């Protein structure tokens, strides 16, 4: 049973529904609370909603926060590829008309020198811009590897910036699944990975993160979405292990404090439409909460397969999350009827 998320807010018998569905609870005024254990969230479906005729979105792909505390959303709607919000969901600025395949968004630098890296899978490029949208440089298809015969084989989905030296790591999640490494000026350095079944290979290396949790600073987390996991590597591309999440077709890893967060765009099978939810992973790499999904259960040290458990129909296809300093989660969605991001407020 799935209910329209707006109608669910009006349910007089919401408490009866919650009693039979432990992944969902209600508080004052029948507000929707989702999640498990210590990480539960109040759903704010009105956050960031705009006038669609003036500031439309198509696929809301990724979110970051700048040093001013502004939430930056990337959409592949070329009327305004970048929407910049306040924490309260008020639109502050918009720009961008030339990114039809806008997909990956990474922020780097500090203060007035902050910049964005936009992975555009239609343009087959990674574009570095300032926070006003002025282009600084472009990374073209990696012909230096000898693996790519033409630009169309390069379909980048995400980037990450090495916190030690500023090197740029690019994952080619919709292309040949290699990881390319460039210096901070866009000069090609090396590559590793590629599509395949072995540990050092990927099946849709959709996202990447330099893990900055205590004791894990030398690890890079890279998604292998069709394998339902985040794989661990060192900077040279040596495989170190994986965080397994059976049943979860998870997108990029995002860090806040000691925890990792990720958007599961589909669950159970990649063919299951509108079956997404959110994962929260603790410092020991264990899933501790799955807002919109089934409760995480470990048997003999292994996570049991999970699936959507979202009776209020909060999520369709979550694609990315951003987690602020108060541990509120902002959720961007793909192929979700052109809806604006959803805010999950930590309770």
């Amino acid at each position: 049973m799935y209910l329209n998320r707006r109608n669910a807010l009006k349910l007089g018998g919401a408490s009866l529904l919650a009693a039979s569905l432990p992944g969902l609870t209600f508080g004052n005024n029948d507000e929707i609370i989702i999640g498990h254990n210590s990480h539960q969230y109040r759903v704010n479906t009105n956050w960031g909603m705009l006038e669609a005729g003036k500031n439309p979105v198509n696929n809301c792909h990724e979110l970051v926060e700048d040093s001013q505390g502004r939430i930056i959303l990337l959409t592949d709607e070329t009327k305004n590829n970048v929407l910049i919000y306040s924490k309260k969901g008020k639109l502050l600025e918009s720009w961008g008309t030339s990114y039809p395949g806008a997909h990956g968004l990474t922020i780097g630098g500090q203060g007035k020198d902050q910049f964005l890296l936009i992975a555009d899978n239609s343009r087959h490029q990674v574009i570095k811009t300032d926070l006003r949208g002025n282009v600084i440089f472009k990374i073209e298809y990696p012909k230096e590897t000898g693996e790519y015969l033409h630009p169309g084989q390069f379909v980048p989905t995400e980037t990450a910036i090495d916190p030690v030296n500023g090197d740029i790591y690019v994952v080619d999640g919709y292309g040949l699944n290699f990881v390319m490494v460039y210096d901070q000026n866009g000069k090609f350095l090396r590559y590793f990975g590629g599509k395949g079944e072995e540990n050092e290979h990927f099946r849709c290396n959709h996202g990447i993160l330099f893990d900055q949790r205590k004791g894990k600073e030398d690890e890079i987390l890279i998604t292998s979405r069709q394998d339902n996991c985040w794989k661990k590597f060192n900077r040279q591309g040596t495989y170190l292990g994986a965080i397994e999440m059976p049943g979860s077709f998870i997108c990029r890893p995002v860090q806040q404090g000691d925890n990792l967060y990720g958007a599961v765009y589909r669950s159970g099978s990649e063919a299951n439409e509108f079956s997404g939810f959110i994962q929260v992973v603790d410092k020991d790499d264990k899933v501790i909460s799955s807002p919109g999904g089934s409760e995480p259960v470990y048997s003999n040290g292994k996570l049991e397969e999970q699936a959507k458990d979202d009776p209020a129909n909060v999520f369709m296809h979550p694609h990315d999350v951003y987690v602020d300093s108060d541990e509120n989660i902002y959720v961007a969605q793909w192929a979700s009827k052109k809806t604006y991001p959803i805010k999950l407020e930590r309770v």
Side-chain angles (χ1 to χ4, degrees):
M1 177 181 180
Y2 292 107
L3 305 173
N4 179 279
R5 69 190 188 210
R6 298 191 186 280
N7 291 339
L9 291 170
K10 302 175 183 177
L11 281 175
S15 59
L16 294 176
L17 176 64
S20 62
L21 296 161
L24 174 77
T25 58
F26 291 80
N28 296 332
N29 300 318
D30 291 338
E31 61 190 8
I32 301 176
I33 307 295
I34 59 177
H36 306 94
N37 304 310
S38 60
H39 283 68
Q40 298 188 38
Y41 303 86
R42 180 184 301 107
V43 180
N44 183 346
T45 58
N46 292 319
W47 188 91
M49 290 187 66
L50 304 173
E51 184 180 341
K54 186 177 181 180
N55 292 108
V57 294
N58 188 26
N59 297 298
C60 294
H61 272 133
E62 296 202 340
L63 298 146
V64 297
E65 181 180 357
D66 70 8
S67 60
Q68 301 175 59
R70 305 183 305 168
I71 304 298
I72 302 174
L73 168 70
L74 184 69
T75 172
D76 52 10
E77 169 54 69
T78 54
K79 288 185 179 179
N80 44 211
N81 286 122
V82 172
L83 298 175
I84 302 178
Y85 290 98
S86 71
K87 288 280 185 64
K88 293 183 178 180
K90 178 183 177 181
L91 182 66
L92 302 175
E93 188 178 341
S94 66
W95 54 262
T97 60
S98 60
Y99 301 102
H103 186 279
L105 184 66
T106 301
I107 192 164
Q110 296 180 349
K112 295 181 180 180
D113 294 325
Q114 283 194 296
F115 60 87
L116 299 174
L117 295 173
I118 299 172
D120 190 304
N121 51 40
S122 292
R123 289 175 51 168
H124 308 286
Q125 293 174 325
V126 172
I127 304 95
K128 180 179 178 179
T129 75
D130 64 19
L131 297 193
R132 301 300 298 272
N134 299 305
V135 175
I136 300 170
F137 66 71
K138 303 171 187 176
I139 294 175
E140 305 288 349
Y141 85 100
K143 59 184 177 181
E144 300 92 337
T145 64
E147 306 283 354
Y148 293 80
L149 302 180
H150 55 82
Q153 292 180 307
F154 180 52
V155 195
T157 49
E158 187 57 76
T159 61
I161 300 169
D162 190 328
V164 174
N165 58 21
D167 285 351
I168 299 169
Y169 285 60
V170 180
V171 288
D172 184 27
Y174 294 159
L176 301 187
N177 277 223
F178 287 101
V179 181
M180 271 64 63
V181 185
Y182 301 84
D183 71 13
Q184 58 187 320
N185 298 310
K187 178 183 177 182
F188 177 80
L189 299 176
R190 61 186 181 278
Y191 74 106
F192 62 90
K195 192 174 295 185
E197 305 285 337
E198 303 301 322
N199 286 337
E200 65 271 22
H201 296 145
F202 305 98
R203 294 197 301 159
C204 189
N205 60 346
H206 188 274
I208 181 169
L209 171 76
F210 279 83
D211 198 340
Q212 294 298 290
R213 294 175 296 164
K214 186 175 180 180
K216 301 177 185 289
E217 293 89 348
D218 293 327
E219 294 181 357
I220 305 171
L221 295 174
I222 303 175
T223 305
S224 188
R225 195 163 70 178
Q226 291 175 353
D227 293 315
N228 300 160
C229 71
W230 291 327
K231 293 187 174 183
K232 303 177 183 181
F233 293 82
N234 63 20
R235 285 172 169 79
Q236 288 68 46
T238 301
Y239 175 78
L240 303 175
I243 302 174
E244 305 282 354
M245 287 171 277
S248 297
F249 290 84
I250 191 143
C251 299
R252 75 160 164 175
V254 172
Q255 182 184 344
Q256 177 58 256
D258 288 333
N259 294 332
L260 300 172
Y261 301 77
V264 176
Y265 97 107
R266 286 180 178 170
S267 60
S269 164
E270 203 165 15
N272 290 342
E273 293 187 335
F274 308 115
S275 60
F277 55 91
I278 306 302
Q279 292 286 37
V280 183
V281 178
D282 71 8
K283 62 181 181 180
D284 299 315
D285 295 343
K286 301 294 184 183
V287 177
I288 54 174
S289 182
S290 304
S294 57
E295 184 173 3
V297 176
Y298 282 81
S299 298
N300 298 319
K302 292 186 177 182
L303 181 64
E304 295 183 4
E305 184 168 331
Q306 292 181 269
K308 179 173 181 173
D309 183 4
D310 185 10
N313 208 18
V314 174
F315 300 124
M316 287 181 272
H317 292 115
H319 187 271
D320 187 44
V321 299
Y322 174 72
V323 186
D324 67 22
S325 58
D326 294 320
E327 299 188 10
N328 301 309
I329 303 175
Y330 305 79
V331 183
Q333 299 197 92
W334 165 83
S336 297
K337 303 181 181 180
K338 301 186 179 183
T339 56
Y340 294 90
I342 298 168
K343 184 177 181 179
L344 303 183
E345 299 167 348
R346 180 81 186 273
V347 297

